DNA sequence: TCAATATTAGACAGACTTGTCTAATCAAAT
DNA sequence: ATTTGATTAGACAAGTCTGTCTAATATTGA
Protein backbone atom coordinates (compact mmCIF):
# COMPACT_ATOMS: atom_id res chain seq x y z
CA UNK A 1 0.00 0.00 0.00
CA UNK A 2 1.20 3.49 -0.82
CA UNK A 3 2.47 5.67 2.01
CA UNK A 4 -0.10 8.35 1.32
CA UNK A 5 -2.95 5.87 1.47
CA UNK A 6 -1.60 4.27 4.63
CA UNK A 7 -1.61 7.69 6.28
CA UNK A 8 -5.15 8.41 5.15
CA UNK A 9 -6.43 5.04 6.38
CA UNK A 10 -4.76 5.44 9.74
CA UNK A 11 -6.05 9.00 10.06
CA UNK A 12 -9.51 7.79 9.13
CA UNK A 13 -9.46 5.23 11.90
CA UNK A 14 -8.14 7.66 14.51
CA UNK A 15 -10.22 10.68 13.52
CA UNK A 16 -13.31 8.53 13.53
CA UNK A 17 -12.50 7.04 16.90
CA UNK A 18 -11.01 9.95 18.87
CA UNK A 19 -11.97 13.04 16.88
CA UNK A 20 -9.94 15.43 14.75
CA UNK A 21 -8.40 17.76 17.33
CA UNK A 22 -7.63 14.95 19.75
CA UNK A 23 -5.61 13.05 17.16
CA UNK A 24 -2.05 14.24 16.66
CA UNK A 25 0.28 13.90 13.70
CA UNK A 26 2.75 11.99 15.84
CA UNK A 27 0.11 9.43 16.73
CA UNK A 28 -0.88 8.99 13.11
CA UNK A 29 2.65 8.45 11.83
CA UNK A 30 3.48 6.13 14.69
CA UNK A 31 0.50 3.86 14.10
CA UNK A 32 0.94 4.02 10.34
CA UNK A 33 4.67 3.28 10.80
CA UNK A 34 5.63 6.14 8.53
CA UNK A 35 8.37 8.71 9.10
CA UNK A 36 7.38 12.25 9.86
CA UNK A 37 9.30 13.52 6.85
CA UNK A 38 7.17 11.33 4.61
CA UNK A 39 4.04 12.74 6.14
CA UNK A 40 5.01 16.30 5.27
CA UNK A 41 6.27 15.15 1.91
CA UNK A 42 2.76 13.89 1.09
CA UNK A 43 0.67 16.48 2.91
CA UNK A 44 1.43 20.10 3.40
CA UNK A 45 -0.44 20.32 6.72
CA UNK A 46 -2.84 18.55 9.04
CA UNK A 47 -5.71 20.43 7.39
CA UNK A 48 -4.53 19.06 4.05
CA UNK A 49 -4.66 15.53 5.45
CA UNK A 50 -8.11 16.20 6.85
CA UNK A 51 -9.42 17.18 3.44
CA UNK A 52 -7.86 14.10 1.85
CA UNK A 53 -9.41 11.98 4.59
CA UNK A 54 -12.87 13.46 4.04
CA UNK A 55 -12.60 12.95 0.29
CA UNK A 56 -11.58 9.35 0.84
CA UNK A 57 -14.40 8.86 3.31
CA UNK A 58 -16.86 10.41 0.90
CA UNK A 59 -16.00 7.94 -1.82
CA UNK A 60 -15.85 4.98 0.53
CA UNK A 61 -19.16 5.74 2.21
CA UNK A 62 -21.09 6.50 -0.95
CA UNK A 63 -19.76 3.44 -2.71
CA UNK A 64 -20.86 1.23 0.17
CA UNK A 65 -24.26 2.91 0.30
CA UNK A 66 -24.91 2.43 -3.42
CA UNK A 67 -23.70 -1.15 -3.32
CA UNK A 68 -25.89 -1.95 -0.35
CA UNK A 69 -28.98 -0.41 -1.91
CA UNK A 70 -28.36 -2.16 -5.22
CA UNK A 71 -27.77 -5.51 -3.53
CA UNK A 72 -30.89 -5.41 -1.35
CA UNK A 73 -33.17 -3.62 -3.79
CA UNK A 74 -35.26 -6.75 -4.28
CA UNK A 75 -36.26 -7.04 -0.62
CA UNK A 76 -37.87 -3.63 -0.23
CA UNK A 77 -37.81 -0.22 -1.84
CA UNK A 78 -34.45 1.44 -2.37
CA UNK A 79 -34.96 4.26 0.10
CA UNK A 80 -35.79 1.81 2.88
CA UNK A 81 -32.62 -0.09 2.06
CA UNK A 82 -30.70 3.13 2.61
CA UNK A 83 -31.91 3.14 6.21
CA UNK A 84 -30.94 -0.50 6.60
CA UNK A 85 -27.51 0.54 5.41
CA UNK A 86 -27.26 2.92 8.36
CA UNK A 87 -28.05 0.06 10.71
CA UNK A 88 -25.32 -2.07 9.19
CA UNK A 89 -22.81 0.77 9.36
CA UNK A 90 -23.52 1.31 13.04
CA UNK A 91 -22.84 -2.36 13.63
CA UNK A 92 -19.67 -2.20 11.59
CA UNK A 93 -18.33 1.02 13.12
CA UNK A 94 -19.79 0.82 16.61
CA UNK A 95 -22.07 3.86 16.44
CA UNK A 96 -19.38 6.39 15.60
CA UNK A 97 -21.84 8.59 13.70
CA UNK A 98 -21.11 10.70 10.65
CA UNK A 99 -17.44 11.47 10.01
CA UNK A 100 -18.37 14.76 8.40
CA UNK A 101 -20.65 16.07 11.12
CA UNK A 102 -18.20 14.94 13.78
CA UNK A 103 -15.57 17.18 12.21
CA UNK A 104 -18.05 20.01 11.65
CA UNK A 105 -18.37 20.48 15.41
CA UNK A 106 -14.63 20.90 15.82
CA UNK A 107 -14.18 23.59 13.20
CA UNK A 108 -13.40 27.20 13.97
CA UNK A 109 -14.03 30.08 11.61
CA UNK A 110 -10.77 29.64 9.72
CA UNK A 111 -11.46 26.15 8.39
CA UNK A 112 -13.64 27.23 5.50
CA UNK A 113 -12.04 24.72 3.11
CA UNK A 114 -13.01 21.78 5.31
CA UNK A 115 -16.49 23.21 5.79
CA UNK A 116 -16.90 23.28 2.02
CA UNK A 117 -15.99 19.59 1.73
CA UNK A 118 -18.54 18.71 4.42
CA UNK A 119 -21.27 20.74 2.74
CA UNK A 120 -20.46 19.17 -0.58
CA UNK A 121 -20.82 15.68 0.89
CA UNK A 122 -24.20 16.46 2.40
CA UNK A 123 -25.39 18.11 -0.79
CA UNK A 124 -24.47 14.95 -2.65
CA UNK A 125 -26.41 12.90 -0.12
CA UNK A 126 -29.40 15.17 -0.50
CA UNK A 127 -29.20 14.79 -4.27
CA UNK A 128 -28.87 11.03 -3.98
CA UNK A 129 -32.03 10.82 -1.90
CA UNK A 130 -33.78 12.90 -4.54
CA UNK A 131 -33.18 10.03 -6.95
CA UNK A 132 -34.81 7.53 -4.59
CA UNK A 133 -38.13 9.20 -3.74
CA UNK A 134 -40.61 11.61 -5.21
CA UNK A 135 -39.56 15.28 -5.09
CA UNK A 136 -42.29 16.25 -2.62
CA UNK A 137 -40.83 14.17 0.21
CA UNK A 138 -37.12 14.04 -0.55
CA UNK A 139 -36.04 16.73 1.92
CA UNK A 140 -38.28 15.19 4.53
CA UNK A 141 -36.48 11.89 4.03
CA UNK A 142 -33.10 13.63 4.02
CA UNK A 143 -33.81 15.27 7.38
CA UNK A 144 -34.91 11.97 8.91
CA UNK A 145 -31.84 10.28 7.44
CA UNK A 146 -29.57 12.80 9.11
CA UNK A 147 -31.37 12.53 12.44
CA UNK A 148 -31.09 8.78 12.25
CA UNK A 149 -27.33 8.93 12.10
CA UNK A 150 -26.82 11.48 14.85
CA UNK A 151 -29.40 10.20 17.29
CA UNK A 152 -28.28 6.59 16.98
CA UNK A 153 -24.74 7.80 17.69
CA UNK A 154 -25.95 9.67 20.76
CA UNK A 155 -28.04 6.86 22.22
CA UNK A 156 -25.90 4.06 20.84
CA UNK A 157 -29.13 2.43 19.75
CA UNK A 158 -30.75 1.71 16.40
CA UNK A 159 -34.20 2.98 17.38
CA UNK A 160 -33.92 6.34 15.60
CA UNK A 161 -33.15 4.56 12.34
CA UNK A 162 -35.97 2.03 12.76
CA UNK A 163 -38.36 4.82 13.65
CA UNK A 164 -37.31 6.94 10.67
CA UNK A 165 -37.55 3.97 8.34
CA UNK A 166 -41.11 3.30 9.46
CA UNK A 167 -42.05 6.92 8.92
CA UNK A 168 -40.55 6.88 5.44
CA UNK A 169 -42.38 3.65 4.66
CA UNK A 170 -45.67 5.33 5.49
CA UNK A 171 -44.69 8.33 3.39
CA UNK A 172 -44.07 6.37 0.22
CA UNK A 173 -47.28 4.40 0.41
CA UNK B 1 -20.93 38.02 39.77
CA UNK B 2 -19.43 34.98 41.48
CA UNK B 3 -16.09 33.70 40.23
CA UNK B 4 -17.52 30.28 39.47
CA UNK B 5 -20.32 31.74 37.37
CA UNK B 6 -17.98 34.07 35.54
CA UNK B 7 -15.87 31.06 34.56
CA UNK B 8 -18.89 29.11 33.39
CA UNK B 9 -20.20 32.02 31.30
CA UNK B 10 -16.83 32.60 29.71
CA UNK B 11 -16.40 28.90 29.03
CA UNK B 12 -19.89 28.81 27.54
CA UNK B 13 -19.02 31.57 25.11
CA UNK B 14 -15.70 30.03 24.12
CA UNK B 15 -16.82 26.40 23.94
CA UNK B 16 -19.76 27.43 21.83
CA UNK B 17 -17.63 29.50 19.50
CA UNK B 18 -14.42 27.49 19.16
CA UNK B 19 -15.30 24.04 20.47
CA UNK B 20 -14.30 22.18 23.60
CA UNK B 21 -10.87 20.83 22.75
CA UNK B 22 -9.80 24.01 21.01
CA UNK B 23 -10.51 26.11 24.08
CA UNK B 24 -7.81 26.07 26.75
CA UNK B 25 -8.02 26.77 30.46
CA UNK B 26 -5.54 29.61 30.07
CA UNK B 27 -7.77 31.29 27.51
CA UNK B 28 -10.81 30.93 29.74
CA UNK B 29 -9.19 32.39 32.85
CA UNK B 30 -7.62 35.21 30.87
CA UNK B 31 -10.89 36.31 29.30
CA UNK B 32 -12.76 35.83 32.56
CA UNK B 33 -10.01 37.76 34.38
CA UNK B 34 -9.72 35.08 37.04
CA UNK B 35 -6.53 33.61 38.49
CA UNK B 36 -5.65 30.06 37.62
CA UNK B 37 -5.61 29.08 41.27
CA UNK B 38 -9.24 30.18 41.56
CA UNK B 39 -10.14 28.08 38.59
CA UNK B 40 -8.80 24.93 40.19
CA UNK B 41 -10.26 25.97 43.51
CA UNK B 42 -13.73 25.96 41.94
CA UNK B 43 -13.34 23.10 39.46
CA UNK B 44 -11.31 20.00 39.91
CA UNK B 45 -10.61 19.61 36.18
CA UNK B 46 -11.55 20.80 32.73
CA UNK B 47 -14.03 17.94 32.47
CA UNK B 48 -15.62 19.17 35.69
CA UNK B 49 -16.02 22.63 34.15
CA UNK B 50 -17.49 21.06 31.03
CA UNK B 51 -20.18 19.32 33.02
CA UNK B 52 -21.00 22.52 34.91
CA UNK B 53 -21.17 24.35 31.58
CA UNK B 54 -23.53 21.79 30.07
CA UNK B 55 -25.78 21.90 33.12
CA UNK B 56 -25.87 25.68 32.92
CA UNK B 57 -26.57 25.53 29.21
CA UNK B 58 -29.34 23.00 29.76
CA UNK B 59 -31.18 25.30 32.18
CA UNK B 60 -30.58 28.39 30.07
CA UNK B 61 -31.73 26.81 26.82
CA UNK B 62 -34.81 25.10 28.22
CA UNK B 63 -35.89 28.22 30.08
CA UNK B 64 -35.65 30.25 26.89
CA UNK B 65 -37.50 27.59 24.92
CA UNK B 66 -40.39 27.41 27.40
CA UNK B 67 -40.61 31.18 27.66
CA UNK B 68 -40.66 31.57 23.89
CA UNK B 69 -43.34 28.95 23.41
CA UNK B 70 -45.47 30.41 26.19
CA UNK B 71 -45.09 33.94 24.85
CA UNK B 72 -46.00 33.09 21.23
CA UNK B 73 -48.58 30.42 21.98
CA UNK B 74 -51.41 32.61 20.75
CA UNK B 75 -50.00 32.98 17.23
CA UNK B 76 -49.83 29.31 16.32
CA UNK B 77 -49.66 25.93 18.00
CA UNK B 78 -46.99 25.39 20.64
CA UNK B 79 -44.97 22.86 18.71
CA UNK B 80 -44.68 25.21 15.74
CA UNK B 81 -43.48 27.92 18.12
CA UNK B 82 -40.72 25.58 19.20
CA UNK B 83 -39.41 25.58 15.63
CA UNK B 84 -39.64 29.37 15.50
CA UNK B 85 -37.54 29.36 18.64
CA UNK B 86 -34.80 27.56 16.74
CA UNK B 87 -34.87 30.25 14.07
CA UNK B 88 -34.50 32.96 16.70
CA UNK B 89 -31.65 31.11 18.42
CA UNK B 90 -29.76 30.81 15.14
CA UNK B 91 -30.10 34.55 14.68
CA UNK B 92 -28.99 35.19 18.24
CA UNK B 93 -26.05 32.77 18.20
CA UNK B 94 -25.05 32.89 14.56
CA UNK B 95 -25.83 29.28 13.63
CA UNK B 96 -23.58 27.66 16.21
CA UNK B 97 -25.81 24.58 16.46
CA UNK B 98 -26.44 22.49 19.54
CA UNK B 99 -23.92 22.89 22.37
CA UNK B 100 -24.49 19.31 23.42
CA UNK B 101 -24.07 17.66 20.04
CA UNK B 102 -21.04 19.82 19.32
CA UNK B 103 -19.37 18.38 22.39
CA UNK B 104 -20.58 14.87 21.64
CA UNK B 105 -18.41 14.77 18.54
CA UNK B 106 -15.29 15.64 20.53
CA UNK B 107 -15.66 12.93 23.15
CA UNK B 108 -13.48 9.88 23.43
CA UNK B 109 -14.41 6.72 25.20
CA UNK B 110 -13.33 7.95 28.65
CA UNK B 111 -15.77 10.85 28.90
CA UNK B 112 -18.76 8.79 29.95
CA UNK B 113 -19.85 11.38 32.53
CA UNK B 114 -20.18 14.08 29.90
CA UNK B 115 -21.97 11.68 27.56
CA UNK B 116 -24.52 11.05 30.28
CA UNK B 117 -25.23 14.77 30.65
CA UNK B 118 -25.74 15.09 26.90
CA UNK B 119 -28.09 12.10 26.79
CA UNK B 120 -30.02 13.46 29.73
CA UNK B 121 -30.52 16.79 27.96
CA UNK B 122 -31.80 15.14 24.81
CA UNK B 123 -34.08 12.84 26.76
CA UNK B 124 -35.57 15.90 28.44
CA UNK B 125 -36.10 17.48 25.04
CA UNK B 126 -37.76 14.34 23.76
CA UNK B 127 -40.04 14.33 26.82
CA UNK B 128 -40.82 18.00 26.37
CA UNK B 129 -41.92 17.43 22.79
CA UNK B 130 -44.14 14.60 24.03
CA UNK B 131 -46.09 17.22 25.99
CA UNK B 132 -46.64 19.30 22.86
CA UNK B 133 -47.99 16.76 20.36
CA UNK B 134 -49.92 13.54 20.28
CA UNK B 135 -47.90 10.43 21.24
CA UNK B 136 -48.08 8.95 17.75
CA UNK B 137 -45.97 11.68 16.16
CA UNK B 138 -43.77 12.90 19.00
CA UNK B 139 -40.61 11.01 18.01
CA UNK B 140 -41.18 12.02 14.43
CA UNK B 141 -41.24 15.65 15.55
CA UNK B 142 -38.22 15.11 17.79
CA UNK B 143 -36.18 13.72 14.92
CA UNK B 144 -37.10 16.64 12.67
CA UNK B 145 -36.31 19.05 15.49
CA UNK B 146 -32.84 17.61 15.84
CA UNK B 147 -32.22 17.65 12.11
CA UNK B 148 -33.34 21.25 11.99
CA UNK B 149 -30.66 22.31 14.42
CA UNK B 150 -27.80 20.41 12.83
CA UNK B 151 -28.60 21.04 9.21
CA UNK B 152 -29.14 24.76 9.73
CA UNK B 153 -25.75 24.84 11.46
CA UNK B 154 -24.16 23.05 8.52
CA UNK B 155 -25.70 25.18 5.78
CA UNK B 156 -25.88 28.35 7.88
CA UNK B 157 -29.42 28.71 6.59
CA UNK B 158 -32.87 28.48 8.14
CA UNK B 159 -34.36 26.28 5.42
CA UNK B 160 -34.14 23.01 7.38
CA UNK B 161 -36.14 24.57 10.20
CA UNK B 162 -38.75 26.08 7.89
CA UNK B 163 -39.05 22.79 6.03
CA UNK B 164 -39.41 20.79 9.26
CA UNK B 165 -41.95 23.24 10.61
CA UNK B 166 -44.06 22.86 7.48
CA UNK B 167 -43.92 19.09 7.76
CA UNK B 168 -44.96 19.21 11.40
CA UNK B 169 -47.79 21.56 10.54
CA UNK B 170 -49.13 19.03 8.07
CA UNK B 171 -48.73 16.26 10.66
CA UNK B 172 -50.83 17.96 13.30
CA UNK B 173 -53.70 18.81 10.96
C1' DT C 1 -11.15 40.03 66.33
C1' DC C 2 -9.87 36.01 64.64
C1' DA C 3 -10.10 32.03 61.98
C1' DA C 4 -11.75 29.90 57.89
C1' DT C 5 -12.47 30.49 53.21
C1' DA C 6 -11.49 32.49 48.75
C1' DT C 7 -8.70 34.80 45.46
C1' DT C 8 -4.42 36.62 43.55
C1' DA C 9 -0.07 36.50 40.22
C1' DG C 10 2.83 33.76 38.43
C1' DA C 11 6.39 30.25 38.21
C1' DC C 12 6.82 25.61 37.11
C1' DA C 13 6.42 20.65 35.51
C1' DG C 14 5.71 17.41 32.15
C1' DA C 15 3.61 16.33 28.36
C1' DC C 16 1.79 17.40 24.23
C1' DT C 17 1.16 20.06 19.60
C1' DT C 18 2.44 21.20 14.45
C1' DG C 19 5.90 21.80 11.52
C1' DT C 20 11.08 22.21 9.88
C1' DC C 21 15.36 20.43 9.03
C1' DT C 22 19.43 17.30 8.29
C1' DA C 23 21.69 13.62 6.35
C1' DA C 24 21.45 9.22 4.97
C1' DT C 25 19.28 5.62 2.35
C1' DC C 26 16.23 3.40 -0.88
C1' DA C 27 13.65 2.80 -5.31
C1' DA C 28 12.66 3.44 -9.86
C1' DA C 29 13.09 5.12 -14.36
C1' DT C 30 15.71 6.64 -18.09
C1' DA D 1 24.47 3.64 -14.17
C1' DT D 2 23.11 7.77 -12.78
C1' DT D 3 19.66 10.99 -11.69
C1' DT D 4 15.41 11.97 -9.67
C1' DG D 5 11.92 11.17 -6.41
C1' DA D 6 10.59 9.03 -2.11
C1' DT D 7 11.38 7.52 2.45
C1' DT D 8 13.91 7.05 6.80
C1' DA D 9 15.06 8.29 11.96
C1' DG D 10 15.27 11.65 14.76
C1' DA D 11 16.61 16.10 16.64
C1' DC D 12 14.76 20.49 17.14
C1' DA D 13 11.90 24.89 17.52
C1' DA D 14 8.32 27.35 19.35
C1' DG D 15 4.35 26.95 21.05
C1' DT D 16 0.39 24.84 23.39
C1' DC D 17 -1.93 22.04 26.90
C1' DT D 18 -3.61 20.67 31.89
C1' DG D 19 -2.62 20.80 36.38
C1' DT D 20 0.33 21.89 40.79
C1' DC D 21 2.41 24.80 43.84
C1' DT D 22 3.88 28.92 46.58
C1' DA D 23 3.17 32.80 49.20
C1' DA D 24 0.79 36.80 49.74
C1' DT D 25 -3.59 39.02 50.06
C1' DA D 26 -8.83 39.60 50.51
C1' DT D 27 -13.12 38.48 52.06
C1' DT D 28 -16.36 36.66 55.08
C1' DG D 29 -18.80 34.80 59.08
C1' DA D 30 -18.86 33.79 64.00
Amino acid sequence: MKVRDKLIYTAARLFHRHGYNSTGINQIIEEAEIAKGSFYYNFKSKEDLCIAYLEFRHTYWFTKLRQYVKKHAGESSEVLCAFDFLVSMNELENFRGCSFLNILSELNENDSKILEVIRSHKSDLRDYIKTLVSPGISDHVYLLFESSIIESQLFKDQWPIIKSKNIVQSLIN
Side-chain angles (χ1 to χ4, degrees), chain A:
Chain A
M1 193 191 302
K2 284 199 155 53
V3 165
R4 189 185 155 89
D5 292 334
K6 215 192 269 184
L7 287 167
I8 291 177
Y9 293 160
T10 307
R13 183 166 48 81
L14 294 174
F15 287 167
H16 212 238
R17 187 168 301 169
H18 305 296
Y20 176 61
N21 286 318
S22 298
T23 304
I25 304 285
N26 292 326
Q27 193 184 357
I28 295 169
I29 61 171
E30 189 189 341
E31 298 204 14
E33 293 173 301
I34 300 291
K36 181 171 274 195
S38 294
F39 178 90
Y40 284 100
Y41 184 84
N42 284 279
F43 302 100
K44 73 179 232 287
S45 66
K46 191 186 180 187
E47 187 192 26
D48 194 35
L49 168 70
C50 182
I51 289 169
Y53 150 66
L54 288 178
E55 283 166 353
F56 157 74
R57 178 75 185 172
H58 175 79
T59 302
Y60 171 80
W61 189 87
F62 254 97
T63 302
K64 282 195 85 121
L65 170 60
R66 279 183 228 270
Q67 279 175 352
Y68 191 99
V69 168
K70 195 161 279 181
K71 189 177 170 191
H72 298 80
E75 303 162 26
S76 63
S77 72
E78 286 181 323
V79 66
L80 297 179
C81 289
F83 283 87
D84 292 334
F85 171 73
L86 294 183
V87 171
S88 78
M89 282 301 274
N90 274 337
E91 283 166 1
L92 186 67
E93 298 185 338
N94 203 29
F95 293 91
R96 304 285 178 203
C98 172
S99 313
F100 298 84
L101 295 182
N102 285 344
I103 289 207
L104 175 67
S105 303
E106 300 199 44
L107 294 185
N108 41 23
E109 295 89 359
N110 308 326
D111 303 314
S112 53
K113 263 191 218 166
I114 297 178
L115 178 60
E116 214 33 66
V117 176
I118 298 172
R119 279 193 185 149
S120 168
H121 169 76
K122 291 301 183 187
S123 291
D124 285 354
L125 174 59
R126 211 177 149 204
D127 289 342
Y128 175 71
I129 290 178
K130 280 202 180 88
T131 71
L132 297 182
V133 296
S134 61
I137 63 166
S138 78
D139 276 338
H140 190 171
V141 173
Y142 169 72
L143 291 168
L144 289 173
F145 201 81
E146 289 288 276
S147 270
S148 295
I149 300 171
I150 293 142
E151 299 299 308
S152 60
Q153 175 185 16
L154 171 60
F155 293 110
K156 290 215 191 307
D157 193 293
Q158 307 280 21
W159 76 257
I161 304 176
I162 309 298
K163 181 76 198 174
S164 295
K165 186 186 166 188
N166 288 338
I167 294 166
V168 171
Q169 184 153 37
S170 73
L171 286 178
I172 61 180
N173 284 337

